Amino acid sequence: MSYLAIKIGAWFIAGLSAFTLLWDASEPQAPKLQPGIQITTTLNSVVPVTVAPTTTVPKGCAQYVADAITAGWPADQAPMLARVMFRESRCNPLAFNSQDSNGGSRGLMQVNGVHETWLKDAGIIKHLDDLFRPEVNLTASAHLWRMVGWSAWASTHG
């Protein structure tokens, strides 16, 4: 069984456990039914609802790894790609690190803004904000990986 399959299984079990705990915690006492009396129920969410600033449905890490292979990443790099993507952005295509001294880091693979010129010259982006689109970020990071390998993402070996 691959490392990625084990990791996905662990995430699924952890998520299912949290969901089960939350389900039991929010269960109100059952009202006693009496004929002729109206019962009103108020539903309260224990999870805050937020609207993502995108029109696409967010994907999980495994789906983005599959997209990365479609974007040109070699399939044999999938386990390392999953680890790096999770470490860099928690698989959030809208992740942004403004503290990065290399022009900020953007998207799934946290591609640095310092690469703007050669990414434009390669025809991969028109603007740095294009790196927030998963397919563009994965194509750009594959291009970077082909040039310098995993050294572009320090401390990712092993």
Side-chain angles (χ1 to χ4, degrees), residues 52-142:
T54 180
T55 57
T56 59
V57 176
K59 297 180 181 182
C61 289
Q63 291 169 306
Y64 284 126
V65 170
D67 289 349
I69 293 168
T70 302
W73 278 91
D76 67 341
Q77 295 300 312
M80 178 64 83
L81 182 62
R83 285 193 295 270
V84 171
M85 191 183 309
F86 183 77
R87 190 198 70 186
E88 292 290 332
S89 69
R90 296 297 188 255
C91 301
N92 177 359
L94 301 177
F96 178 67
N97 178 3
S98 62
Q99 303 300 314
D100 182 349
S101 61
N102 291 314
S105 299
R106 291 160 179 80
L108 290 168
M109 295 294 288
Q110 291 292 280
V111 177
N112 301 130
V114 74
H115 303 301
E116 180 178 18
T117 302
W118 68 262
L119 286 172
K120 284 180 176 179
D121 291 346
I124 296 172
I125 65 170
K126 292 182 181 178
H127 307 284
L128 279 174
D129 285 349
D130 292 344
L131 291 169
F132 291 117
R133 294 183 17 231
E135 67 279 2
V136 173
N137 190 279
L138 295 170
T139 300
S141 60

